[in-house]
Amino acid sequence: MRAVLAIFGLLLLAGCLGMPATVQPVGNFQLDRYLGKWYEIARLDHSFERNMDQVTAQYDLNSDGTVAVINRGFLRTEGIWKEARGKAKFVGSPSEGYLKVSFFGPFYGSYVIFALDHEAYQYAFISGPNAEYLWLLSRTPTVRPEVMRKFLELAKEKGFDTEKVIHVRQGSG
């Protein structure tokens, strides 16, 4: 029975480290430029962020080379702030925007940066292990309309259901 559970667990974990077939991680990625605070501008909804506004992600380098991750958001239905702490590691080369992130011990999920403002590192388009996970992150609480348009067009082209994209409220309004 233990062997069956171990195999099931490995298969489950392996499934969380993939990416949609249409998505490729960015190259020429520079982690030092990516570190810091990001605002969640838009996403596909999922249970662990449902009803959350003012969502941010903070990325800092740990002494062991992993990335400390702090996701924070205001759960408006309960009127409280929620925070999740985790860590991320590169899946392959550190020059490729493909990491795995864990908030629950040995369980990792994909974090694939498939589009990035390489010039100024002001916005990033992120995918998870499949087309049900999608985020637009920005260094500022709002983005120019052309960035949002580019995000939605590229996401649709890559097979994401852009009709279900949620625009995240930033600030207290």
Side-chain angles (χ1 to χ4, degrees):
M1 184 64 165
R2 270 191 191 159
V4 171
L5 289 174
I7 291 169
F8 177 74
L10 289 173
L11 290 173
L12 180 66
L13 289 176
C16 294
L17 289 181
M19 66 184 85
T22 57
V23 168
Q24 290 297 315
V26 297
N28 300 317
F29 180 73
Q30 297 174 15
L31 178 61
D32 60 326
R33 295 183 68 198
Y34 197 78
L35 297 174
K37 185 174 187 175
W38 290 85
Y39 295 86
E40 188 177 275
I41 304 301
R43 70 170 181 259
L44 286 177
D45 204 20
H46 38 78
S47 62
F48 53 91
E49 282 188 294
R50 188 150 296 133
N51 298 314
M52 281 198 175
D53 297 327
Q54 302 178 61
V55 179
T56 59
Q58 177 73 36
Y59 304 112
D60 294 300
L61 191 61
N62 289 321
S63 60
D64 65 359
T66 61
V67 177
V69 179
I70 301 173
N71 288 346
R72 189 168 193 262
F74 186 74
L75 186 56
R76 70 178 171 274
T77 55
E78 296 182 29
I80 59 171
W81 287 95
K82 304 257 323 197
E83 188 174 279
R85 291 177 178 264
K87 69 178 177 179
K89 302 176 181 182
F90 285 98
V91 172
S93 167
S95 66
E96 184 177 58
Y98 183 22
L99 296 96
K100 58 183 182 178
V101 65
S102 175
F103 293 97
F104 310 104
F107 303 102
Y108 282 87
S110 292
Y111 183 98
V112 184
I113 304 162
F114 67 91
L116 175 66
D117 168 23
H118 272 98
E119 187 176 313
Y121 278 64
Q122 291 299 299
Y123 64 83
F125 304 168
I126 314 297
S127 170
N130 58 47
E132 294 177 25
Y133 297 92
L134 176 69
W135 294 269
L136 165 55
L137 302 182
S138 172
R139 293 291 189 177
T140 57
T142 59
V143 296
R144 296 182 322 274
E146 58 267 23
V147 172
M148 181 61 73
R149 193 168 32 257
K150 180 179 179 180
F151 171 69
L152 293 171
E153 287 172 3
L154 187 58
K156 186 173 185 174
E157 175 185 308
K158 298 211 176 280
F160 293 92
D161 186 352
T162 56
E163 296 295 316
K164 294 183 177 177
V165 166
I166 293 171
H167 299 267
V168 181
R169 285 184 263 175
Q170 291 290 346
S172 57

